[in-house]
Amino acid sequence: QTILVTGANGFIGGHVLKEALKKGYHVRALVRTEKSSQKFRTIFASYGDQLSWAYVPDIAVVENYASAFENPPKPITAIVHLASPFTMAVSDNKRDLLEPAVQGAVAILEAAKKYGSASLRRVVLTSSFASHVDLTQGYRPGYTYSEKDWNPQGWETAELDSATAYCASKKLAEKAAWDWIEANKPTFDLTTIEPPWVFGPHVDGVEDLKKLNQSSASLSQLLDAAEVPAVDFAGFVDVRDLGAAQILVLETPAAGGQRFLFGSHFDYQTAADILRENVPELKSRIPEGTPGAGLTQAVYAIDGSKAERVLGIKYMPLKDTLVDSFAEFVGAKKSA
Ligand code: NDP
């Protein structure tokens, strides 16, 4: 069986590739340019023909995906769609965040219908907790987010800050994908995966703290910070759990047609407490804040139990994720 993976060169993409290859799947990795394929070509060289590459210069153009479906080593049974902009460094929210996210999600489904064969059974779209959270409600103490929630914001967020627009880009993309399925009734089904912050080690390590992906950059702001940052997303999942889950949803028939919210509580004070307690050499580099004042009660909760139940996973504790993440940050050659 061959799995197509878009956004294959990203932080999560590396772990999806690793997990799929380890489990014996053939993987066709989709990236924008040949250059973007280089680091993982080297890292996964021992898998030989099990890993092949295709280039999709613009994720919003259906025809760009044609070559990805040509001559697969084994029939293509699934698509894992990760490619979507996750950066706050944009100059135009609509052009740089909302449009590529939404148009990319629809284009991969159109491409699946146009170029996929009868062997294609499932498309997995990596959405986000961003498509659940209602930012207008703030910390919302006492509330628990689950699969039933939808972020109420939409295209109007193009006029707001880029973090709000990013959240809307994920919601609109996921909504467009479910609407497309409803309208087209294809022979394959859709599963959406909704992680909050994804933290943990990189398959290719960390060389330069200034070139981190967005979620790792957010976590790394704790290092040498003057004070403990305020809560942004009050949830996290380890990237290794998420990589495994992306493949497990393909192997679990009951996951078809489902949304899965992942993870459990996260806040920077709790993270600071854990790091200062467990990693002695970080004590002088992580702000103390108010130990024990983690916001568990003062902020909404995330119910990620459906994914554990249906997929049979058990989330890694925050301590392991933090220790492994900061080992990379501290070891980076070009430290902040
Ligand atoms: P990365 O930034 O590491 O990877 C993003 C991937 O998407 C890269 O392959 C990138 O390609 C590709 N991409 C981004 N913008 C475009 C575009 N306009 N056209 C084509 N390709 C594009 O992020 P992650 O691996 O963390 O994120 C992967 C997915 O997971 C995204 O959909 C993100 O929204 C989602 N997600 C991530 C979370 C996290 O905390 N990390 C949390 C929730 C959801 P290139 O290198 O060429 O730019």
Side-chain angles (χ1 to χ4, degrees):
Q1 302 182 18
T2 301
I3 304 173
L4 294 195
V5 181
T6 76
N9 61 318
F11 172 49
I12 299 171
H15 287 271
V16 171
L17 260 48
K18 186 176 175 179
E19 192 68 25
L21 292 167
K22 197 174 75 188
K23 281 186 140 176
Y25 290 98
H26 282 75
V27 176
R28 178 148 297 169
L30 278 57
V31 290
R32 286 201 248 208
T33 61
E34 207 274 335
K35 191 165 175 274
S36 311
S37 73
Q38 277 165 7
K39 60 181 184 189
F40 289 152
R41 267 180 201 279
T42 310
I43 287 173
F44 296 119
S46 64
Y47 285 98
D49 294 347
Q50 224 183 301
L51 177 61
S52 58
W53 294 85
Y55 306 109
V56 179
D58 185 342
I59 51 168
V61 178
V62 178
E63 289 69 30
N64 275 193
Y65 292 94
S67 67
F69 287 83
E70 278 166 18
N71 307 317
K74 301 271 180 196
I76 297 168
T77 54
I79 298 174
V80 173
H81 182 60
L82 290 161
S84 195
F86 189 13
T87 170
M88 302 306 137
V90 294
S91 46
D92 182 325
N93 287 335
K94 187 160 177 268
R95 185 198 61 203
D96 303 332
L97 290 173
L98 294 156
E99 287 179 350
V102 175
Q103 292 168 5
V106 173
I108 190 74
L109 291 166
E110 289 284 354
K113 185 177 163 197
K114 188 166 180 184
Y115 306 115
S117 68
S119 62
L120 179 62
R121 290 200 302 267
R122 184 160 294 167
V123 174
V124 181
L125 175 79
T126 301
S127 180
S128 171
F129 171 62
S131 83
H132 297 253
V133 69
D134 182 350
L135 295 173
T136 64
Q137 303 271 354
Y139 281 5
R140 216 175 180 180
Y143 190 78
T144 299
Y145 281 103
S146 72
E147 283 81 5
K148 69 181 185 317
D149 295 294
W150 280 96
N151 171 354
Q153 293 180 295
W155 288 93
E156 74 286 353
T157 60
E159 308 303 324
L160 304 176
D161 61 290
S162 58
T164 305
Y166 166 75
C167 289
S169 82
K170 298 303 289 181
K171 177 272 181 94
L172 291 167
E174 189 192 327
K175 185 77 176 49
W178 286 117
D179 288 350
W180 187 94
I181 293 286
E182 182 62 29
N184 287 271
K185 307 223 170 0
T187 51
F188 53 85
D189 63 17
L190 176 70
T191 301
T192 58
I193 283 194
E194 287 117 28
W197 281 131
V198 183
F199 299 140
H202 295 70
V203 164
D204 51 332
V206 168
E207 238 183 78
D208 183 349
L209 281 187
K210 294 200 169 64
K211 291 189 184 153
L212 284 172
N213 59 291
Q214 188 67 47
S215 55
S216 306
S218 289
L219 182 61
S220 75
Q221 54 169 327
L222 255 184
L223 197 60
D224 301 325
E227 46 192 71
V228 175
V231 166
D232 31 40
F233 276 169
F236 91 103
V237 64
D238 191 284
V239 70
R240 292 162 288 190
D241 285 341
L242 192 68
Q246 297 266 3
I247 306 304
L248 282 170
V249 296
L250 306 179
E251 298 168 341
T252 309
Q258 300 288 319
R259 306 179 85 196
F260 287 100
L261 180 57
F262 279 76
S264 48
H265 177 80
F266 171 82
D267 69 74
Y268 292 98
Q269 180 66 58
T270 303
D273 294 353
I274 291 176
L275 285 164
R276 289 172 55 87
E277 211 171 287
N278 292 282
V279 191
E281 56 273 37
L282 280 178
K283 216 160 183 174
S284 60
R285 298 189 65 183
I286 301 284
E288 186 175 17
T290 311
L295 284 172
T296 332
Q297 301 306 322
V299 71
Y300 58 78
I302 289 182
D303 181 2
S305 63
K306 176 180 167 185
E308 284 193 303
R309 216 167 43 243
V310 177
L311 305 176
I313 56 170
K314 181 144 183 37
Y315 295 127
M316 215 175 269
L318 181 58
K319 178 183 156 219
D320 296 6
T321 305
L322 289 172
V323 168
D324 295 344
S325 301
F326 278 80
E328 275 191 344
F329 298 156
V330 170
K333 276 192 225 99
K334 296 182 201 164
S335 291

